[in-house]
Amino acid sequence: MNVRQIESLHKALVESGFHHLEVTFGKIKLKLVRNPAISDVLTDSETSAADSGIGQSDPQTHPVTTMNVISERVGIFTFGKRAALEIGVTVKRGEILGTIKGISIQDHVTAPVSGTVTAIFVTEGEIVEFGRRLFILEKEKIEE
Amino acid sequence: MLKKIMIANRGEIAVRIIRTCRRLGIRTVAVFSEADRDAMHVRLADEAYCIGPARTDLSYLNIPNLLSVAQATRCDGIHPGYGFLSENPSFAEISQKCGFTFIGPSHRAIERMGQKSVARDIMARSGVPILPGSPGSLEDADEAIAVAKRIGFPVLIKASAGGGGRGMRLAENEATFKNLFLTARGEAQSAFGDGRVYIEKFLRSPRHIEIQVFGDTHGNAIALGERECSIQRRHQKLVEEAPSPALEESTRVKMIETAIKAVHAIEYVNAGTIEFLLDTDGSYYFMEMNTRLQVEHPVTELVWGIDMVELQLRIASGEPIPYTQASLKPHGWSIECRINAEDARTGFSPCPGRITQFIPAGGPWVRVDSAAFANYMVSPTYDSMIAKLIVWAPTRAEALGRMRVALGDFTIEGITTTIPFHSFIMNHPEFKKGQFSTLFVEQHLDEFLAMLPPIKNPSQKENSHTNGQAMEKVHAARAATSS
């Protein structure tokens, strides 16, 4: 693997808009991770650059006080006990917001922080895919 | 007939499968990774769902997410394509257990044929000629040396669970054997999680000939002749054709009979390929059986006039094969070039990047199977194959001519591709004469590299037409001086 190849991979990563790229050339394993907070970061090992934001907050598109709740599974979504989950309702950290039922797996979607539901993007019985944004929570001031 | 299927794959093969489904009125569900959001299979399918990040182990190999999509979308079948989970017996088994029809063979057949040494034993018992080799996998280096001496050097050390050349070593003599044996075992362990290896006789100048077979649930079996796949590099096929210019009709008949016998013996259902090595004296030996639709299936489709994906879907739906062997007759000649985003000058290293211009070849009897388009991003995470260019003509010479023109017409800009290398092959006098073995690329790569200009900017246009003409002149000049 030479510098030219690494450069072209880097270019590909930048152009693609992907966060993360891993390539194996024989014994060489190259991992390129884009840090959305800075610019493009080139790492060569298990360096953990910024979290991709999946399932957590995305500091780029929303202020730190709001958090996206994103599906990490694929399946049919149903609301939790609080079927009346509505905009403006406050939830506690760890509270079940809904369930994604996949094949043999039933995964709870829980509130990553205590706060107020400010947006709901999902409907009962909908098929949700990986990376689907489900809710936005506004963090309680007390948590900060 | 199946009503709605999920395609557990990406790229050209997903597109290929979707097209047949649309014609047959079968609804399709595509799956994609975050890297493939804009991919063509996502656009063409009736529905599409993201199943994970770009990394294949988290997306296209993610069995729970795949099956969750199939279940949530109420599919009744799953087509695995090739690669990824297509030859994973657990995936076939779990799919069936969850109530989906797996469009492929039974998990037992996949499992048995996937264990290369088991497959060889089964084939030997069914009367298929096999290369002399170790009776099963070998644990001990000294025992292996004894077997190698009995077979006679050179011998090939191969991973039992292997494929794609990994865990494979060529031992020329006894002195180097032990080290190579241990290296192969280590490589097999790290590549497949299974360090078992076996050895077999190595043929110096073999051809790779494979027979396409189909079996159904009613006990019928057919063989759609052979494909010639000797043009390969490190066990990766580059050019395939049907029929083979090397096969005598009597050998062909024998191979087809052998293949059909094998399908019956293992009660094989759906599409499969039995790969053989053909020696210079016309004897042939079983290499392995691929329990999936092959990349190179179009050349068989064009020569036999059969949509093989349709046949797969019908067989999976429980229909009998609608043909008898006697009713089938091949017509003409077909050639396929696999066009990869690779640079021959840097050892065929992948050249991912954005395709800025994509104008596929066309014209009568020219077929392009691809999922690429202008502005498509070739991801380094996946296979570097971006298109399959396939032509048909009544004779081999005409097919070659058609392929040369098609390669010249095919415009892919923004990335480096193997189009110029294919032009070189199509113009090579030995390839034209049909005189080549699996060593062709190794033997002639330097000739190709010597006639290329120094490494240019990859954003420059690939002008394969000009390259092709230049190569023809070089070949002609060389032929003149050597005669």
Side-chain angles (χ1 to χ4, degrees), chain B residues 1 20 23-24 307-315:
Chain B
M1 191 64 162
T20 288
R23 186 169 58 76
L24 298 174
D307 180 333
M308 287 168 48
V309 172
E310 176 178 349
L311 190 51
Q312 283 196 296
L313 291 163
R314 293 197 181 283
I315 291 170

Side-chain angles (χ1 to χ4, degrees), chain B residues 59-94:
Chain B
S59 51
Y60 295 105
L61 299 174
N62 185 334
I63 295 177
N65 279 4
L66 287 165
L67 294 179
S68 295
V69 170
Q71 190 188 51
T73 56
R74 298 164 187 260
C75 286
D76 50 6
I78 296 175
H79 198 306
Y82 56 69
F84 292 129
L85 293 167
S86 61
E87 292 181 281
N88 180 316
S90 312
F91 182 58
E93 186 177 7
I94 298 167

Side-chain angles (χ1 to χ4, degrees), chain A residues 5 12 15 74 102-103 129-130, chain B residues 35 49-50 52 68-69 349 354 377:
Chain A
Q5 288 167 330
E15 287 179 354
V74 184
I103 201 108
E129 61 181 10
F130 177 88
Chain B
Y49 296 91
C50 181
S68 295
V69 170
S349 60
R354 191 169 296 281
M377 183 70 203

Side-chain angles (χ1 to χ4, degrees), chain B residues 132-384:
Chain B
S134 55
S137 51
L138 295 160
E139 298 296 326
D140 179 66
D142 292 329
E143 180 200 348
I145 288 178
V147 174
K149 278 163 79 174
R150 199 184 67 229
I151 300 165
F153 286 96
V155 298
L156 207 55
I157 307 162
K158 294 168 102 174
S160 291
R166 283 187 295 176
M168 197 186 281
R169 285 292 181 282
L170 171 62
E172 292 279 359
N173 52 51
E174 196 182 335
T176 56
F177 182 82
K178 192 168 178 176
N179 268 343
L180 292 164
F181 179 81
L182 296 173
T183 317
R185 273 184 51 163
E187 203 172 295
Q189 182 64 44
S190 64
F192 311 111
D194 180 346
R196 285 178 297 167
V197 296
Y198 64 97
I199 59 175
E200 63 186 22
K201 186 172 175 60
F202 178 69
L203 304 180
R204 291 242 175 243
S205 189
R207 296 177 82 119
H208 175 126
I209 307 280
E210 57 187 34
I211 304 285
Q212 176 67 51
V213 294
F214 279 90
D216 67 19
T217 51
H218 305 269
N220 304 307
I222 56 165
L224 300 180
E226 82 279 12
R227 286 186 291 261
E228 161 75 65
C229 310
S230 299
I231 304 295
Q232 38 181 269
R233 186 187 156 271
R234 296 194 183 165
H235 304 281
Q236 296 294 322
K237 295 163 190 164
L238 300 176
V239 177
E240 300 97 348
E241 58 185 303
S244 164
L247 217 54
E248 301 277 347
E249 188 54 31
S250 58
T251 314
R252 175 175 297 122
V253 169
K254 264 194 335 200
M255 286 178 97
I256 286 177
E257 276 172 14
T258 307
I260 290 177
K261 217 160 69 181
V263 172
H264 283 303
I266 59 176
E267 295 178 348
Y268 191 82
V269 171
N270 221 297
T273 296
I274 306 181
E275 295 188 339
F276 294 100
L277 286 178
L278 178 72
D279 206 355
T280 39
D281 64 359
S283 48
Y284 59 91
Y285 306 99
F286 171 75
M287 209 173 8
E288 62 181 48
M289 180 164 189
N290 295 317
T291 54
R292 56 157 199 272
L293 185 70
Q294 302 263 109
V295 175
E296 61 273 25
H297 75 275
V299 294
T300 301
E301 293 190 317
L302 295 190
V303 166
W304 294 80
I306 290 173
D307 180 333
M308 287 168 48
V309 172
E310 176 178 349
L311 190 51
Q312 283 196 296
L313 291 163
R314 293 197 181 283
I315 291 170
S317 304
E319 294 180 24
I321 295 170
Y323 324 97
T324 59
Q325 189 66 34
S327 70
L328 292 167
K329 210 173 163 303
H331 293 281
W333 212 283
S334 181
I335 304 175
E336 172 181 279
C337 289
R338 295 191 193 188
I339 296 169
N340 294 344
E342 291 172 358
D343 191 346
R345 286 160 297 197
T346 53
F348 291 88
S349 60
C351 298
R354 191 169 296 281
I355 293 175
T356 53
Q357 179 77 281
F358 188 85
I359 307 170
W365 302 292
V366 174
R367 166 174 166 181
V368 176
D369 279 18
S370 173
F373 44 86
N375 208 32
Y376 174 76
M377 183 70 203
V378 179
S379 164
T381 313
Y382 308 117
D383 191 47
S384 59

